[in-house]
Amino acid sequence: MPIARGYAATDASKPLEPFSFERREPKEDDVVIDIHYCGVCHSDIHQARNEWGNSKFPMVPGHEIAGVVTAVGSKVTKFKPGDRVGVGCFVDSCLHCATRDVDREQYLPGLVQTYNDYEADGKTLTQGGYSDSIVVKEGYVLSIPDNLPLDKAAPLLCAGITLYSPLSHWKAGPGKKVAIVGMGGLGHMGVKIGAAMGADITVLSQSLSKKEDGLKYGAKDYYATSDAETFKTLANTFDLIVCTVSAGIDWNAYLNLLKVDGTMVLVGAPEHPVPVHAFSLIPGRRSLAGSMIGSIKETQDMLDFCGKHNITADIEKIDIKDINAAYERVLKSDVRYRFVIDMATLKG
Ligand code: NAP
Ligand code: ZN
């Protein structure tokens, strides 16, 4: 079995630490990837600290993986050594399905997450991208367009698709007023992608400290949610609100910013339930919805869209030894806008 090196959480209360583990021997439909970069998603922190109550340890987090193919199985046709590729939040989806539902696979029970899940054998834990290599079935590997640098493209594999999917499902485009709540890793991708789709984007952030960046990324407006006036000024304004906030906030205040028939989509996943008043929804026939990443087909569409529009994440590259300090900074919303681990620092 090939040995991989990485960083793992061994327990919800401990910092991540160096960790070696076995990757599976590649099968005929597998692609072996040398990981160059991995983004640090807030979901990694939720899971490393067992905030969603489903964590399995030891856990090598990381599902914003970008790297280069080093070997392929005998039946692989789409990839060859040297190809620039990505892996996102899941590495299988059809364990219990007769056919693969390519449009909605992330919602079906056969999903196998890139980490914090079990491989097809039901026993071996999957391990993610804070590591030097990964072995993934061909059908779950994405092509990264040549014009996108691997480090800045890595966050597209989760942050990018998580915003692209609801923005396209709810038809963000010309004439649509869309608010993105939270200018973090997900939020800043939402501004860039939504603006490229032609929607009229407003950012709702806790303060105005990142306003200049938001406008540079294509937002038309930028408001501070710490200012109570914002909620009066923007009442009944938006067709769509995408909420990326990782903490519990008063969703009722945001629902009141929707027009009649507007939809607020949750992608941010706070630890605790949030109460919703019926009268935040009833008078405006408003909808409250959720959305989870995107299918492999949609993720490739998103990467091609980003290639065409030259969209990547704004990143701070880090040494893997600094991962625990990076987590603390994410928790303080102190990152512009995504930490990306340079895996050469693991190998060096
Ligand atoms: P992030 O970089 O930490 O961004 C979250 C942003 O939310 C912060 O930058 C901040 O924006 C805002 N925020 C944080 N705490 C807040 C508070 N107490 N009150 C108001 N606003 C607050 O995290 P991320 O990686 O973008 O992930 C965001 C959430 O999405 C996480 O819960 C993550 O698990 C979830 N997620 C979901 C999916 C999915 O498929 N649905 C996929 C990936 C991640 P401002 O500073 O601008 O206010
Ligand atoms: Zn993620």
PDB file of all heavy atoms in Angstrom, residues 243-274:
ATOM      1  N   CYS A 243     -26.709  32.861   1.842  1.00  0.00           N
ATOM      2  CA  CYS A 243     -26.106  33.117   3.148  1.00  0.00           C
ATOM      3  C   CYS A 243     -24.957  32.139   3.391  1.00  0.00           C
ATOM      4  O   CYS A 243     -25.174  30.937   3.484  1.00  0.00           O
ATOM      5  CB  CYS A 243     -27.152  32.992   4.248  1.00  0.00           C
ATOM      6  SG  CYS A 243     -26.445  33.335   5.872  1.00  0.00           S
ATOM      7  N   THR A 244     -23.751  32.675   3.488  1.00  0.00           N
ATOM      8  CA  THR A 244     -22.556  31.825   3.672  1.00  0.00           C
ATOM      9  C   THR A 244     -22.051  31.842   5.110  1.00  0.00           C
ATOM     10  O   THR A 244     -20.981  31.299   5.396  1.00  0.00           O
ATOM     11  CB  THR A 244     -21.388  32.298   2.767  1.00  0.00           C
ATOM     12  OG1 THR A 244     -20.836  33.511   3.295  1.00  0.00           O
ATOM     13  CG2 THR A 244     -21.830  32.534   1.337  1.00  0.00           C
ATOM     14  N   VAL A 245     -22.809  32.452   6.002  1.00  0.00           N
ATOM     15  CA  VAL A 245     -22.291  32.665   7.369  1.00  0.00           C
ATOM     16  C   VAL A 245     -22.220  31.343   8.139  1.00  0.00           C
ATOM     17  O   VAL A 245     -23.173  30.573   8.182  1.00  0.00           O
ATOM     18  CB  VAL A 245     -23.153  33.702   8.119  1.00  0.00           C
ATOM     19  CG1 VAL A 245     -22.696  33.854   9.564  1.00  0.00           C
ATOM     20  CG2 VAL A 245     -23.105  35.039   7.396  1.00  0.00           C
ATOM     21  N   SER A 246     -21.071  31.135   8.780  1.00  0.00           N
ATOM     22  CA  SER A 246     -20.794  29.876   9.481  1.00  0.00           C
ATOM     23  C   SER A 246     -21.379  29.857  10.886  1.00  0.00           C
ATOM     24  O   SER A 246     -21.434  28.803  11.519  1.00  0.00           O
ATOM     25  CB  SER A 246     -19.281  29.695   9.557  1.00  0.00           C
ATOM     26  OG  SER A 246     -18.684  30.924   9.950  1.00  0.00           O
ATOM     27  N   ALA A 247     -21.797  31.015  11.388  1.00  0.00           N
ATOM     28  CA  ALA A 247     -22.319  31.112  12.758  1.00  0.00           C
ATOM     29  C   ALA A 247     -23.831  31.325  12.715  1.00  0.00           C
ATOM     30  O   ALA A 247     -24.393  31.672  11.670  1.00  0.00           O
ATOM     31  CB  ALA A 247     -21.651  32.280  13.473  1.00  0.00           C
ATOM     32  N   GLY A 248     -24.486  31.122  13.863  1.00  0.00           N
ATOM     33  CA  GLY A 248     -25.925  31.370  13.936  1.00  0.00           C
ATOM     34  C   GLY A 248     -26.199  32.872  13.918  1.00  0.00           C
ATOM     35  O   GLY A 248     -25.681  33.614  14.749  1.00  0.00           O
ATOM     36  N   ILE A 249     -26.972  33.348  12.946  1.00  0.00           N
ATOM     37  CA  ILE A 249     -27.380  34.758  12.904  1.00  0.00           C
ATOM     38  C   ILE A 249     -28.894  34.775  12.759  1.00  0.00           C
ATOM     39  O   ILE A 249     -29.498  33.734  12.466  1.00  0.00           O
ATOM     40  CB  ILE A 249     -26.717  35.532  11.732  1.00  0.00           C
ATOM     41  CG1 ILE A 249     -26.981  34.821  10.390  1.00  0.00           C
ATOM     42  CG2 ILE A 249     -25.229  35.698  11.974  1.00  0.00           C
ATOM     43  CD1 ILE A 249     -26.559  35.640   9.181  1.00  0.00           C
ATOM     44  N   ASP A 250     -29.514  35.953  12.952  1.00  0.00           N
ATOM     45  CA  ASP A 250     -30.976  36.040  12.894  1.00  0.00           C
ATOM     46  C   ASP A 250     -31.452  36.016  11.439  1.00  0.00           C
ATOM     47  O   ASP A 250     -31.510  37.041  10.772  1.00  0.00           O
ATOM     48  CB  ASP A 250     -31.440  37.324  13.589  1.00  0.00           C
ATOM     49  CG  ASP A 250     -32.958  37.452  13.553  1.00  0.00           C
ATOM     50  OD1 ASP A 250     -33.644  36.449  13.200  1.00  0.00           O
ATOM     51  OD2 ASP A 250     -33.460  38.545  13.854  1.00  0.00           O
ATOM     52  N   TRP A 251     -31.785  34.814  10.944  1.00  0.00           N
ATOM     53  CA  TRP A 251     -32.205  34.685   9.540  1.00  0.00           C
ATOM     54  C   TRP A 251     -33.454  35.512   9.250  1.00  0.00           C
ATOM     55  O   TRP A 251     -33.684  35.935   8.115  1.00  0.00           O
ATOM     56  CB  TRP A 251     -32.471  33.200   9.205  1.00  0.00           C
ATOM     57  CG  TRP A 251     -31.234  32.359   9.223  1.00  0.00           C
ATOM     58  CD1 TRP A 251     -29.944  32.794   9.099  1.00  0.00           C
ATOM     59  CD2 TRP A 251     -31.162  30.939   9.376  1.00  0.00           C
ATOM     60  NE1 TRP A 251     -29.074  31.725   9.162  1.00  0.00           N
ATOM     61  CE2 TRP A 251     -29.780  30.581   9.333  1.00  0.00           C
ATOM     62  CE3 TRP A 251     -32.106  29.938   9.529  1.00  0.00           C
ATOM     63  CZ2 TRP A 251     -29.347  29.263   9.444  1.00  0.00           C
ATOM     64  CZ3 TRP A 251     -31.671  28.621   9.637  1.00  0.00           C
ATOM     65  CH2 TRP A 251     -30.306  28.283   9.595  1.00  0.00           C
ATOM     66  N   ASN A 252     -34.296  35.754  10.252  1.00  0.00           N
ATOM     67  CA  ASN A 252     -35.537  36.523  10.024  1.00  0.00           C
ATOM     68  C   ASN A 252     -35.229  37.916   9.466  1.00  0.00           C
ATOM     69  O   ASN A 252     -35.910  38.404   8.574  1.00  0.00           O
ATOM     70  CB  ASN A 252     -36.323  36.643  11.324  1.00  0.00           C
ATOM     71  CG  ASN A 252     -36.681  35.273  11.851  1.00  0.00           C
ATOM     72  OD1 ASN A 252     -37.535  34.598  11.289  1.00  0.00           O
ATOM     73  ND2 ASN A 252     -35.993  34.835  12.904  1.00  0.00           N
ATOM     74  N   ALA A 253     -34.182  38.526  10.013  1.00  0.00           N
ATOM     75  CA  ALA A 253     -33.818  39.873   9.560  1.00  0.00           C
ATOM     76  C   ALA A 253     -33.476  39.852   8.074  1.00  0.00           C
ATOM     77  O   ALA A 253     -33.792  40.775   7.324  1.00  0.00           O
ATOM     78  CB  ALA A 253     -32.635  40.385  10.367  1.00  0.00           C
ATOM     79  N   TYR A 254     -32.851  38.765   7.615  1.00  0.00           N
ATOM     80  CA  TYR A 254     -32.436  38.668   6.212  1.00  0.00           C
ATOM     81  C   TYR A 254     -33.611  38.287   5.318  1.00  0.00           C
ATOM     82  O   TYR A 254     -33.731  38.768   4.189  1.00  0.00           O
ATOM     83  CB  TYR A 254     -31.277  37.666   6.076  1.00  0.00           C
ATOM     84  CG  TYR A 254     -30.031  38.163   6.782  1.00  0.00           C
ATOM     85  CD1 TYR A 254     -29.859  37.968   8.149  1.00  0.00           C
ATOM     86  CD2 TYR A 254     -29.058  38.875   6.092  1.00  0.00           C
ATOM     87  CE1 TYR A 254     -28.739  38.450   8.808  1.00  0.00           C
ATOM     88  CE2 TYR A 254     -27.927  39.363   6.744  1.00  0.00           C
ATOM     89  CZ  TYR A 254     -27.781  39.145   8.105  1.00  0.00           C
ATOM     90  OH  TYR A 254     -26.675  39.638   8.752  1.00  0.00           O
ATOM     91  N   LEU A 255     -34.503  37.420   5.832  1.00  0.00           N
ATOM     92  CA  LEU A 255     -35.679  37.034   5.031  1.00  0.00           C
ATOM     93  C   LEU A 255     -36.510  38.266   4.680  1.00  0.00           C
ATOM     94  O   LEU A 255     -37.097  38.356   3.589  1.00  0.00           O
ATOM     95  CB  LEU A 255     -36.533  36.014   5.798  1.00  0.00           C
ATOM     96  CG  LEU A 255     -35.921  34.605   5.866  1.00  0.00           C
ATOM     97  CD1 LEU A 255     -36.612  33.767   6.946  1.00  0.00           C
ATOM     98  CD2 LEU A 255     -36.011  33.901   4.511  1.00  0.00           C
ATOM     99  N   ASN A 256     -36.529  39.238   5.584  1.00  0.00           N
ATOM    100  CA  ASN A 256     -37.302  40.458   5.321  1.00  0.00           C
ATOM    101  C   ASN A 256     -36.700  41.316   4.213  1.00  0.00           C
ATOM    102  O   ASN A 256     -37.320  42.273   3.765  1.00  0.00           O
ATOM    103  CB  ASN A 256     -37.448  41.272   6.605  1.00  0.00           C
ATOM    104  CG  ASN A 256     -38.474  40.626   7.521  1.00  0.00           C
ATOM    105  OD1 ASN A 256     -39.487  40.100   7.058  1.00  0.00           O
ATOM    106  ND2 ASN A 256     -38.197  40.612   8.819  1.00  0.00           N
ATOM    107  N   LEU A 257     -35.509  40.977   3.772  1.00  0.00           N
ATOM    108  CA  LEU A 257     -34.890  41.729   2.667  1.00  0.00           C
ATOM    109  C   LEU A 257     -35.293  41.162   1.307  1.00  0.00           C
ATOM    110  O   LEU A 257     -34.921  41.699   0.267  1.00  0.00           O
ATOM    111  CB  LEU A 257     -33.360  41.711   2.797  1.00  0.00           C
ATOM    112  CG  LEU A 257     -32.783  42.176   4.144  1.00  0.00           C
ATOM    113  CD1 LEU A 257     -31.259  42.247   4.072  1.00  0.00           C
ATOM    114  CD2 LEU A 257     -33.360  43.527   4.557  1.00  0.00           C
ATOM    115  N   LEU A 258     -36.039  40.026   1.312  1.00  0.00           N
ATOM    116  CA  LEU A 258     -36.465  39.417   0.042  1.00  0.00           C
ATOM    117  C   LEU A 258     -37.702  40.103  -0.511  1.00  0.00           C
ATOM    118  O   LEU A 258     -38.604  40.489   0.237  1.00  0.00           O
ATOM    119  CB  LEU A 258     -36.795  37.933   0.254  1.00  0.00           C
ATOM    120  CG  LEU A 258     -35.632  36.991   0.539  1.00  0.00           C
ATOM    121  CD1 LEU A 258     -36.178  35.610   0.931  1.00  0.00           C
ATOM    122  CD2 LEU A 258     -34.714  36.876  -0.671  1.00  0.00           C
ATOM    123  N   LYS A 259     -37.761  40.178  -1.840  1.00  0.00           N
ATOM    124  CA  LYS A 259     -38.991  40.604  -2.526  1.00  0.00           C
ATOM    125  C   LYS A 259     -40.046  39.508  -2.390  1.00  0.00           C
ATOM    126  O   LYS A 259     -39.724  38.381  -1.967  1.00  0.00           O
ATOM    127  CB  LYS A 259     -38.724  40.732  -4.032  1.00  0.00           C
ATOM    128  CG  LYS A 259     -37.884  41.884  -4.456  1.00  0.00           C
ATOM    129  CD  LYS A 259     -37.728  41.790  -5.982  1.00  0.00           C
ATOM    130  CE  LYS A 259     -36.806  42.854  -6.494  1.00  0.00           C
ATOM    131  NZ  LYS A 259     -36.381  42.596  -7.882  1.00  0.00           N
ATOM    132  N   VAL A 260     -41.251  39.780  -2.856  1.00  0.00           N
ATOM    133  CA  VAL A 260     -42.273  38.732  -2.965  1.00  0.00           C
ATOM    134  C   VAL A 260     -41.711  37.618  -3.853  1.00  0.00           C
ATOM    135  O   VAL A 260     -41.101  37.895  -4.898  1.00  0.00           O
ATOM    136  CB  VAL A 260     -43.581  39.300  -3.587  1.00  0.00           C
ATOM    137  CG1 VAL A 260     -44.579  38.176  -3.857  1.00  0.00           C
ATOM    138  CG2 VAL A 260     -44.172  40.359  -2.680  1.00  0.00           C
ATOM    139  N   ASP A 261     -41.887  36.372  -3.422  1.00  0.00           N
ATOM    140  CA  ASP A 261     -41.396  35.190  -4.152  1.00  0.00           C
ATOM    141  C   ASP A 261     -39.879  35.046  -4.139  1.00  0.00           C
ATOM    142  O   ASP A 261     -39.339  34.207  -4.868  1.00  0.00           O
ATOM    143  CB  ASP A 261     -41.903  35.145  -5.608  1.00  0.00           C
ATOM    144  CG  ASP A 261     -43.363  34.735  -5.677  1.00  0.00           C
ATOM    145  OD1 ASP A 261     -43.824  34.007  -4.777  1.00  0.00           O
ATOM    146  OD2 ASP A 261     -44.048  35.147  -6.637  1.00  0.00           O
ATOM    147  N   GLY A 262     -39.209  35.839  -3.330  1.00  0.00           N
ATOM    148  CA  GLY A 262     -37.751  35.708  -3.245  1.00  0.00           C
ATOM    149  C   GLY A 262     -37.354  34.474  -2.444  1.00  0.00           C
ATOM    150  O   GLY A 262     -38.146  33.901  -1.696  1.00  0.00           O
ATOM    151  N   THR A 263     -36.090  34.078  -2.616  1.00  0.00           N
ATOM    152  CA  THR A 263     -35.575  32.880  -1.935  1.00  0.00           C
ATOM    153  C   THR A 263     -34.275  33.203  -1.213  1.00  0.00           C
ATOM    154  O   THR A 263     -33.401  33.864  -1.788  1.00  0.00           O
ATOM    155  CB  THR A 263     -35.289  31.767  -2.967  1.00  0.00           C
ATOM    156  OG1 THR A 263     -36.498  31.470  -3.662  1.00  0.00           O
ATOM    157  CG2 THR A 263     -34.766  30.492  -2.299  1.00  0.00           C
ATOM    158  N   MET A 264     -34.192  32.738   0.017  1.00  0.00           N
ATOM    159  CA  MET A 264     -32.912  32.794   0.723  1.00  0.00           C
ATOM    160  C   MET A 264     -32.356  31.378   0.814  1.00  0.00           C
ATOM    161  O   MET A 264     -33.040  30.469   1.293  1.00  0.00           O
ATOM    162  CB  MET A 264     -33.062  33.377   2.121  1.00  0.00           C
ATOM    163  CG  MET A 264     -31.756  33.372   2.877  1.00  0.00           C
ATOM    164  SD  MET A 264     -31.693  34.621   4.155  1.00  0.00           S
ATOM    165  CE  MET A 264     -31.587  33.592   5.596  1.00  0.00           C
ATOM    166  N   VAL A 265     -31.138  31.201   0.325  1.00  0.00           N
ATOM    167  CA  VAL A 265     -30.507  29.885   0.294  1.00  0.00           C
ATOM    168  C   VAL A 265     -29.392  29.846   1.330  1.00  0.00           C
ATOM    169  O   VAL A 265     -28.495  30.697   1.326  1.00  0.00           O
ATOM    170  CB  VAL A 265     -29.889  29.611  -1.097  1.00  0.00           C
ATOM    171  CG1 VAL A 265     -29.318  28.200  -1.144  1.00  0.00           C
ATOM    172  CG2 VAL A 265     -30.909  29.806  -2.183  1.00  0.00           C
ATOM    173  N   LEU A 266     -29.459  28.851   2.192  1.00  0.00           N
ATOM    174  CA  LEU A 266     -28.405  28.660   3.183  1.00  0.00           C
ATOM    175  C   LEU A 266     -27.342  27.756   2.599  1.00  0.00           C
ATOM    176  O   LEU A 266     -27.655  26.646   2.138  1.00  0.00           O
ATOM    177  CB  LEU A 266     -28.974  27.996   4.439  1.00  0.00           C
ATOM    178  CG  LEU A 266     -30.172  28.694   5.081  1.00  0.00           C
ATOM    179  CD1 LEU A 266     -30.678  27.854   6.255  1.00  0.00           C
ATOM    180  CD2 LEU A 266     -29.798  30.100   5.545  1.00  0.00           C
ATOM    181  N   VAL A 267     -26.109  28.231   2.599  1.00  0.00           N
ATOM    182  CA  VAL A 267     -24.987  27.323   2.351  1.00  0.00           C
ATOM    183  C   VAL A 267     -24.106  27.248   3.605  1.00  0.00           C
ATOM    184  O   VAL A 267     -23.506  26.211   3.881  1.00  0.00           O
ATOM    185  CB  VAL A 267     -24.168  27.680   1.080  1.00  0.00           C
ATOM    186  CG1 VAL A 267     -25.003  27.480  -0.175  1.00  0.00           C
ATOM    187  CG2 VAL A 267     -23.617  29.087   1.124  1.00  0.00           C
ATOM    188  N   GLY A 268     -24.036  28.334   4.356  1.00  0.00           N
ATOM    189  CA  GLY A 268     -23.326  28.316   5.639  1.00  0.00           C
ATOM    190  C   GLY A 268     -24.061  27.389   6.600  1.00  0.00           C
ATOM    191  O   GLY A 268     -25.296  27.335   6.599  1.00  0.00           O
ATOM    192  N   ALA A 269     -23.302  26.643   7.397  1.00  0.00           N
ATOM    193  CA  ALA A 269     -23.901  25.578   8.217  1.00  0.00           C
ATOM    194  C   ALA A 269     -23.534  25.754   9.690  1.00  0.00           C
ATOM    195  O   ALA A 269     -22.597  25.129  10.177  1.00  0.00           O
ATOM    196  CB  ALA A 269     -23.425  24.228   7.708  1.00  0.00           C
ATOM    197  N   PRO A 270     -24.267  26.639  10.403  1.00  0.00           N
ATOM    198  CA  PRO A 270     -23.942  26.858  11.818  1.00  0.00           C
ATOM    199  C   PRO A 270     -24.155  25.608  12.662  1.00  0.00           C
ATOM    200  O   PRO A 270     -24.936  24.720  12.307  1.00  0.00           O
ATOM    201  CB  PRO A 270     -24.885  27.989  12.247  1.00  0.00           C
ATOM    202  CG  PRO A 270     -25.927  28.087  11.200  1.00  0.00           C
ATOM    203  CD  PRO A 270     -25.371  27.487   9.951  1.00  0.00           C
ATOM    204  N   GLU A 271     -23.462  25.593  13.786  1.00  0.00           N
ATOM    205  CA  GLU A 271     -23.469  24.426  14.680  1.00  0.00           C
ATOM    206  C   GLU A 271     -24.846  24.174  15.296  1.00  0.00           C
ATOM    207  O   GLU A 271     -25.274  23.040  15.450  1.00  0.00           O
ATOM    208  CB  GLU A 271     -22.430  24.734  15.769  1.00  0.00           C
ATOM    209  CG  GLU A 271     -22.120  23.647  16.706  1.00  0.00           C
ATOM    210  CD  GLU A 271     -21.026  24.078  17.710  1.00  0.00           C
ATOM    211  OE1 GLU A 271     -20.413  25.159  17.553  1.00  0.00           O
ATOM    212  OE2 GLU A 271     -20.809  23.319  18.667  1.00  0.00           O
ATOM    213  N   HIS A 272     -25.574  25.255  15.652  1.00  0.00           N
ATOM    214  CA  HIS A 272     -26.836  25.117  16.392  1.00  0.00           C
ATOM    215  C   HIS A 272     -28.035  25.540  15.531  1.00  0.00           C
ATOM    216  O   HIS A 272     -27.891  26.372  14.633  1.00  0.00           O
ATOM    217  CB  HIS A 272     -26.791  25.978  17.660  1.00  0.00           C
ATOM    218  CG  HIS A 272     -25.674  25.585  18.577  1.00  0.00           C
ATOM    219  ND1 HIS A 272     -25.622  24.346  19.184  1.00  0.00           N
ATOM    220  CD2 HIS A 272     -24.545  26.244  18.958  1.00  0.00           C
ATOM    221  CE1 HIS A 272     -24.527  24.257  19.916  1.00  0.00           C
ATOM    222  NE2 HIS A 272     -23.850  25.398  19.789  1.00  0.00           N
ATOM    223  N   PRO A 273     -29.257  25.018  15.824  1.00  0.00           N
ATOM    224  CA  PRO A 273     -30.457  25.428  15.075  1.00  0.00           C
ATOM    225  C   PRO A 273     -30.735  26.921  15.248  1.00  0.00           C
ATOM    226  O   PRO A 273     -30.396  27.508  16.274  1.00  0.00           O
ATOM    227  CB  PRO A 273     -31.579  24.611  15.722  1.00  0.00           C
ATOM    228  CG  PRO A 273     -30.920  23.529  16.482  1.00  0.00           C
ATOM    229  CD  PRO A 273     -29.552  24.007  16.842  1.00  0.00           C
ATOM    230  N   VAL A 274     -31.396  27.497  14.235  1.00  0.00           N
ATOM    231  CA  VAL A 274     -31.742  28.924  14.267  1.00  0.00           C
ATOM    232  C   VAL A 274     -33.257  29.038  14.124  1.00  0.00           C
ATOM    233  O   VAL A 274     -33.826  28.468  13.189  1.00  0.00           O
ATOM    234  CB  VAL A 274     -31.047  29.670  13.104  1.00  0.00           C
ATOM    235  CG1 VAL A 274     -31.468  31.126  13.062  1.00  0.00           C
ATOM    236  CG2 VAL A 274     -29.528  29.548  13.228  1.00  0.00           C
TER     237      VAL A 274
END
